[in-house]
Amino acid sequence: MKQLSEALTRFVHQQNLYNAAYGLFQDHDIQPRTENLDCWDRRIPVSPELEYLYSHYEMIDAKAAGTHKLKNAAVEIGDAAVLFFAAPEHLYRQQLGYRWITSGELVRESSSWAPDHVVIATFNDDPVIVDTSEPDTPVYVAFEGGAPQQVADSLANFFTALSILIEGACTFKGELIDEDTYETKAAYIEHVKPLLHQLLGENQTMYLLNYLSFC
């Protein structure tokens, strides 16, 4: 678990640096947990890595307090992308439309969804999925209704990749979108791609950047 611990420490550090300088949200991020986790839906399968994440880190969402809003944390990658990570107490709701399909007041389990797959976050309503049945908890993404594609061999590598992307966003002062083309700046892609290649390999890097609409 040492690798995941180090990856999460680095991620929170980069997230905090970015948010302090350029962030758009207040009290809406991922922070070390100050209280024990006391709410876990046992219908959601967990891996050791996923349990470590939720036992040690909290998804802060000030606007969700006292409401029926799905509690989640916003993770900004410059002005180009925001991922929303569901709090563990709301993970069941996050699975609706994926593992569980609703029809009126009826809820049924999808026959095409692997029961060990858990949606932990979304970008533009497209899921970030972890496989809780595999060692190290590999991470997949699915976009535009397509089949899930693996973007990290482990949850640790996924959070390290996010750190690389956020650190790069800081380097570009949060401005990743070209004002003329409305596409991600080529200089930013050239900055982060070699670092991601070294961590994830070519295919996983391509899928991650495509998922985030960077390429």
Side-chain angles (χ1 to χ4, degrees), residues 80-100:
V82 182
L83 292 93
F84 292 96
F85 283 78
E89 59 266 36
H90 286 181
L91 275 180
Y92 173 78
R93 288 176 59 187
Q94 184 66 88
Q95 310 315 302
L96 297 177
Y98 301 106
R99 181 178 175 183
W100 287 290

Side-chain angles (χ1 to χ4, degrees), residues 141-156:
V141 297
F143 50 99
E144 296 180 353
Q149 303 290 344
Q150 188 169 342
V151 295
D153 292 336
S154 66
L155 193 61

Side-chain angles (χ1 to χ4, degrees), residues 7-164:
L8 287 167
T9 298
R10 176 181 176 183
F11 163 77
V12 169
H13 177 66
Q14 292 301 329
Q15 169 203 247
N16 291 348
L17 287 177
Y18 181 86
N19 286 348
Y22 312 108
L24 298 177
F25 305 99
Q26 290 186 340
D27 299 322
H28 195 27
D29 53 11
I30 299 176
Q31 294 296 336
R33 186 174 288 279
T34 57
E35 298 179 351
N36 292 333
L37 177 62
D38 60 2
C39 182
W40 186 272
D41 193 319
R42 297 302 172 183
R43 290 172 291 186
I44 308 300
V46 294
S47 62
E49 290 77 19
L50 197 59
E51 185 170 4
Y52 182 91
L53 168 64
Y54 293 132
S55 297
H56 290 78
Y57 290 87
E58 181 179 4
M59 283 59 193
I60 306 294
D61 188 352
K63 292 184 177 180
T67 74
H68 294 291
K69 178 182 182 291
L70 192 154
K71 182 181 177 183
N72 55 52
V75 173
E76 295 181 66
I77 305 175
D79 58 358
V82 182
L83 292 93
F84 292 96
F85 283 78
E89 59 266 36
H90 286 181
L91 275 180
Y92 173 78
R93 288 176 59 187
Q94 184 66 88
Q95 310 315 302
L96 297 177
Y98 301 106
R99 181 178 175 183
W100 287 290
I101 308 300
T102 59
S103 178
E105 295 184 359
L106 297 177
V107 179
R108 62 176 177 83
E109 192 161 3
S110 171
S111 60
S112 61
W113 186 266
D116 292 314
H117 285 189
V118 178
V119 178
I120 63 168
T122 58
F123 169 66
N124 286 346
D125 293 326
D126 290 325
V128 175
I129 305 160
V130 296
D131 186 344
T132 60
S133 67
E134 292 293 327
D136 302 321
T137 312
V139 181
Y140 297 78
V141 297
F143 50 99
E144 296 180 353
Q149 303 290 344
Q150 188 169 342
V151 295
D153 292 336
S154 66
L155 193 61
N157 280 358
F158 180 68
F159 276 100
T160 300
L162 292 182
S163 297
I164 291 169

